[in-house]
Amino acid sequence: MPTLGIDLGGTFARAAVVDGKGEILASAKVAVQDRKPQGVVETIAQAAEEAVKKSGVKVDGCGVGAAGQIHKDTGVISVAPNLGWRDVPLAQMLTKRLGFGVKVVNDLSAAAWGELHAGAGRGAQDILVVFVGSGVGSAIISDGRLVNGGGGVAGELGHIKVVPGGRLCGCGEHGCLEAYAGGHNLIAQTKELLASGSSRVLEKLTNDDPDTITPVTLETAADAGDAKAKEIHSRAAQFLALAVANYVTVLNPSRLVLGGGVLTHCPGIKRQVLDGVQQWSSRVSREGLLIADAELGDDSGIIGAALLVK
């Protein structure tokens, strides 16, 4: 029987009815307006009910992928920076509201599972998935199994420390990789540079409007020779490259799947990550490693969440 997959973001909740092969039968998207837990539960329920109605089939379970640190056994979201949540029992709340079992996992775990079964990971058993979008996320699949760790938060590449006591991260800690290389933080650092008045290049690129800034703006300014922009860009790219290279050395995956808006739209950052894997991961771990782009786009998490129910 098909299952529901939910992709919970800070702006929208997307729901899809997915069959056992990872095919989406019907989908719906509802804006998240009330970010309080009960409000989000109602938003998810609305999207889920609309998707099920469109599909015309029954479902027997629901998987939810959400950005944050999530307890693997209880489905409690310990920390969800995008929603400002701490210790929210989302699985329990949704089970009560929808009337059937709900499994809540980290959004990158869901994306990795989707890529494994229906995307760039097909045919592999040991996969490392790294997405750099608004944040930095990753997930590990070893011997065909999702690696959760003791508390369910294994694979939090974005929250390894790269500058002790450094920039404040959305998780509440300082010096995380995400605080330097995640899309939201690349934008924040670029806005800080624009506000300093020391970048004529940025002033021209943005027409002095900080709301137009994206990670691509930073890369364009760096490529145009702005020294400060280049410093921010190079630091982010090097931190990412070192982190991914060390990850490859430690885990020895057969496949590395890369995705997310920053790696898709900022070729300079992606190139440094690829070069870093070749230069800095161990020779043995590089042998036989296949690096692939994620294939499922925005659907990877929603498909993976649905398939994880089984």
Side-chain angles (χ1 to χ4, degrees), residues 122-140:
R122 288 188 300 265
Q125 292 291 298
D126 296 278
I127 305 173
L128 173 60
V129 176
V130 177
F131 277 33
V132 185
S134 56
V136 178
S138 66
I140 307 158

Side-chain angles (χ1 to χ4, degrees), residues 18-30:
V18 180
D19 69 16
K21 296 180 181 179
E23 295 288 334
I24 293 178
L25 305 180
S27 63
K29 181 169 75 171
V30 177

Side-chain angles (χ1 to χ4, degrees), residues 169-232:
C169 182
C171 71
E173 298 184 17
H174 289 264
C176 297
L177 174 62
E178 184 171 299
Y180 291 89
H184 281 325
N185 286 291
L186 289 174
I187 291 170
Q189 292 170 88
T190 308
K191 286 183 176 180
E192 290 166 11
L193 176 56
L194 179 64
S196 73
S198 61
S199 175
R200 294 289 180 87
V201 173
L202 271 180
E203 289 172 2
K204 290 180 180 179
L205 284 173
T206 64
N207 197 24
D208 217 14
D209 181 1
D211 291 336
T212 65
I213 290 173
T214 70
V216 176
T217 310
L218 173 65
E219 181 154 299
T220 303
D223 289 344
D226 185 281
K228 289 291 186 180
K230 189 172 183 179
E231 180 182 332
I232 295 168

